[in-house]
Amino acid sequence: MNLPPQLPDLPLFRTIADAAQELGYPAYVIGGFVRDLALQRPSKDVDVVCVGDGIQLAQAVGRKLPNRPRVTVFKNFGTAMLPTPDIELEFVGARKESYRAESRKPEVEAGTLEEDLARRDFTINALGLSLNAEDFGALVDRYNGIQDLKDGIIRTPLDPDITFSDDPLRMMRAIRFATQLNFDIDPDTFDAIARNKERIRIVSQERITTELNKIIMAPKPSYGFKLLFASGLLPLIFPKMALLQGVEKRGQHAHKDNFYHTLQVLDNVVETRADLWLRWAAILHDIAKPATKRFDPKVGWTFHGHEDKGARWTPNIFADLKLPLGEEMRMVQKLVRLHLRPIALVKETVTDSAVRRLLFEAGDDIDNLMKLCRADITSKDHQRVARYLRNFDVVEQKLREVEEKDHLRNFKPVITGEIIMQTFGLAPSKAVGELKDAVLEAILDGQVRNEFGEAYPWLLALGQRKGLEVKQELAAPPAGE
Ligand code: CTP
């Protein structure tokens, strides 16, 4: 830590101080930048609060800077932005009521520095550094934010019921900062989250999901999910995930708690430097277990088809959470659907054909799929885990061999519907689809290679067996195929 936080020695801060002095506005660097300075986390966004007109100050600073950057004014917010080569500056006048980044309230009532700090979210975000001539660089810490940084505590400056009712998103932010920084949430603050949780319903899904994704991208996201669950927020913002929690017993048979298992899988994929979407795949891989749970007296608990149901649910879950519905969603969906396949491969003797099928279906996502599957082994029995992981090594070796031989990752079957229609003079129909699938199966089975010279004669022989007449025999795939 860098305590007390020192303002970086940049001429820019002196320029702001000069402009503020000329206008007679006391000015301070405030909020996240000061927190991150203390924590030695890199940060490029600098918020400047002045007791006066923030837009005027931004314009005055802009005039003093050598390249005269353009000031962008957000009149409704009473803020102004000023880009500089290394730092993005945002100016605002101190205000009486709650500070909210996205507040749409047009009229803000000017306030003192004290009032401004009091209406911020957490003590660690209510720190300031003076830009005034008499005490340039001095720390302003009215709410013991530095002590809370040292102790690792997230706490609201005011009564938490007030802070959270000013902006209920702050309940998510509390958990997000705790997770990112590995801090505790002060018990009074935490109790207030549990008490005010229903208020999260007035916050837009986009803002909630932004915080959720930040929790997921933290070094140990399981911690954030445990806080979300314990506070009662999780069933409100992501009910299906909360339903994973719990263990049911029938006689000797108890299934594992799928919530804690999922969190372990999530933490495990983080170790592989997973991006956001692989992390989402980990979160969703068993999401349909509660909906597919059955008790069979002979084998105990089963979750048959949870991977397919989970994959079918994925688009709706993404839509509800306002996550993007393109490539990323499709990758997550594919991983959810295929997550049991590699483990099934290690249980049987690995045949080339099974490996080929998996490569074909997973395509470029095979590496992520293998990461997910390895992460999915969460047994407490270390020998068992080691055994499974060794088996995965065998599967991966096999995947590499088959891929080198057959290049199936982004494989497109050489026999298209067009070729089939031309050859047998067929109109688009179910029969064409069936012939196409039959060729694909033969390729995946290893009966023929995915080359025109091998697959086309195989198609002709198949047609003959089915009594189809050859209308036009092709010598080579049509141009463009
Ligand atoms: N703030 C707040 N309540 C909010 C959002 C923001 O009080 N709901 C205040 C905090 O003082 C915060 C500052 O506004 O430090 C800037 O907010 P923002 O840029 O959203 O967050 P940072 O704290 O900078 O953190 P991060 O960049 O990680 O989001």
Side-chain angles (χ1 to χ4, degrees):
M1 280 210 214
N2 162 25
L3 293 177
Q6 306 286 326
L7 256 190
D9 190 13
L10 296 175
L12 181 64
F13 291 115
R14 294 279 173 193
T15 308
I16 302 172
D18 291 345
Q21 192 171 27
E22 283 164 25
L23 288 166
Y25 297 157
Y28 305 84
V29 173
I30 222 108
F33 185 78
V34 185
R35 175 199 70 221
D36 289 340
L37 264 183
L39 292 169
Q40 291 173 305
R41 296 204 312 176
S43 167
K44 284 173 184 275
D45 294 333
V46 173
D47 291 324
V48 176
V49 162
C50 69
V51 186
D53 184 337
I55 295 173
Q56 232 188 338
L57 176 58
Q59 283 160 342
V61 173
R63 281 194 296 273
K64 280 187 186 292
L65 290 174
N67 58 346
R68 294 279 199 121
R70 254 182 86 90
V71 181
T72 313
V73 173
F74 302 95
K75 254 216 161 101
N76 281 356
F77 300 84
T79 63
M81 300 252 293
L82 191 57
T84 73
D86 300 315
I87 275 174
E88 183 90 21
L89 288 165
E90 181 160 342
F91 293 83
V92 63
R95 44 182 71 173
K96 256 196 178 61
E97 64 283 311
S98 170
Y99 180 88
R100 274 184 46 182
E102 301 91 343
S103 170
R104 309 254 167 238
K105 255 178 141 188
E107 70 290 338
V108 281
E109 214 184 319
T112 63
L113 175 69
E114 269 59 36
E115 286 164 333
D116 187 282
L117 292 174
R119 303 320 286 256
R120 286 175 181 265
D121 52 2
F122 307 114
T123 59
I124 62 166
N125 288 342
L127 295 165
L129 290 171
S130 164
L131 293 175
N132 305 312
E134 63 277 13
D135 60 354
F136 185 86
L139 178 71
V140 181
D141 179 12
R142 300 283 191 271
Y143 296 98
N144 279 326
I146 292 294
Q147 193 57 44
D148 284 345
L149 273 178
K150 282 189 194 153
D151 296 341
I153 299 281
I154 303 295
R155 185 199 319 268
T156 57
L158 300 180
D159 175 344
D161 286 328
I162 297 174
T163 303
F164 292 142
S165 76
D166 277 350
D167 179 4
L169 182 74
R170 289 170 169 174
M171 300 189 283
M172 293 288 301
R173 282 173 62 93
I175 293 175
R176 186 259 284 190
F177 282 118
T179 314
Q180 284 180 325
L181 302 173
N182 193 23
F183 278 20
D184 286 326
I185 300 180
D186 165 73
D188 287 342
T189 299
F190 188 79
D191 290 349
I193 299 179
R195 219 171 23 248
N196 291 287
K197 59 177 190 276
E198 293 288 336
R199 301 257 303 150
I200 199 69
R201 295 190 195 277
I202 68 166
V203 178
S204 75
Q205 187 60 51
E206 287 81 354
R207 296 179 79 208
I208 293 174
T209 297
T210 300
E211 295 300 324
L212 191 59
N213 281 342
K214 287 184 181 179
I215 292 171
I216 294 169
M217 286 312 290
K220 201 165 182 233
S222 62
Y223 176 45
F225 278 104
K226 286 176 189 167
L227 290 172
L228 287 171
F229 187 76
S231 63
L233 279 172
L234 193 64
L236 299 172
I237 63 162
F238 191 3
K240 278 199 164 66
M241 186 166 183
L243 286 177
L244 288 171
Q245 193 270 345
V247 176
E248 209 174 325
K249 267 195 187 143
R250 294 264 174 99
Q252 296 292 314
H253 297 284
H255 61 76
K256 63 182 161 199
D257 186 310
N258 290 308
F259 180 62
Y260 294 102
H261 164 71
T262 293
L263 295 186
Q264 178 69 56
V265 177
L266 176 57
D267 284 350
N268 287 351
V269 294
V270 170
E271 298 293 311
T272 71
R273 288 187 303 183
D275 68 4
L276 180 62
W277 308 110
L278 179 52
R279 294 176 193 218
W280 267 109
I283 293 167
L284 295 183
H285 80 289
D286 278 348
I287 198 74
K289 272 198 167 174
T292 54
K293 184 165 89 171
R294 301 277 177 278
F295 186 74
D296 175 344
K298 284 193 222 95
V299 289
W301 295 102
T302 66
F303 304 91
H304 289 309
H306 74 274
E307 69 285 16
D308 285 325
K309 198 185 255 306
R312 278 199 303 279
W313 281 358
T314 302
N316 280 342
I317 293 175
F318 266 54
D320 287 350
L321 293 173
K322 298 275 191 288
L323 288 166
L325 295 172
E327 273 309 298
E328 301 89 348
M329 189 279 287
R330 281 191 288 280
M331 194 281 286
V332 172
Q333 185 176 37
K334 190 194 279 181
L335 262 49
V336 173
R337 186 161 48 79
L338 297 179
H339 81 269
L340 297 176
R341 293 279 290 279
I343 195 100
L345 281 185
V346 303
K347 280 180 187 157
E348 307 155 5
T349 37
V350 194
T351 63
D352 269 18
S353 134
V355 172
R356 246 186 244 116
R357 274 166 206 283
L358 183 60
L359 266 174
F360 172 64
E361 285 182 56
D364 273 342
D365 300 318
I366 188 76
D367 298 333
N368 274 343
L369 179 65
M370 292 309 290
K371 283 183 183 176
L372 174 62
C373 292
R374 285 175 178 274
D376 197 11
I377 308 200
T378 62
S379 164
K380 288 201 181 66
D381 177 345
H382 292 299
Q383 281 185 336
R384 214 169 129 173
V385 173
R387 195 171 66 239
Y388 269 118
L389 292 180
R390 273 198 306 276
N391 286 342
F392 274 132
D393 291 339
V394 175
V395 174
E396 274 180 345
Q397 179 57 31
K398 199 84 194 166
L399 282 168
R400 270 193 297 274
E401 284 167 19
V402 172
E403 170 59 18
E404 262 167 42
K405 214 164 54 186
D406 297 348
H407 309 292
L408 286 163
R409 263 186 187 220
N410 287 317
F411 147 100
K412 283 203 181 56
V414 67
I415 304 299
T416 60
E418 202 52 48
I419 293 177
I420 294 170
M421 290 191 285
Q422 268 189 32
T423 303
F424 300 113
L426 295 171
S429 58
K430 204 167 145 213
V432 176
E434 282 167 4
L435 289 166
K436 214 168 107 180
D437 284 349
V439 180
L440 175 63
E441 288 297 311
I443 294 169
L444 292 175
D445 264 351
Q447 296 178 42
V448 285
R449 297 172 72 85
N450 188 33
E451 284 163 14
F452 190 81
E454 275 196 31
Y456 193 63
W458 193 93
L459 171 73
L460 293 178
L462 176 69
Q464 202 173 29
R465 284 202 298 281
K466 288 185 177 284
L468 291 170
E469 201 185 318
V470 176
K471 288 274 181 319
Q472 186 190 353
E473 189 171 329
L474 307 177
E481 292 290 343

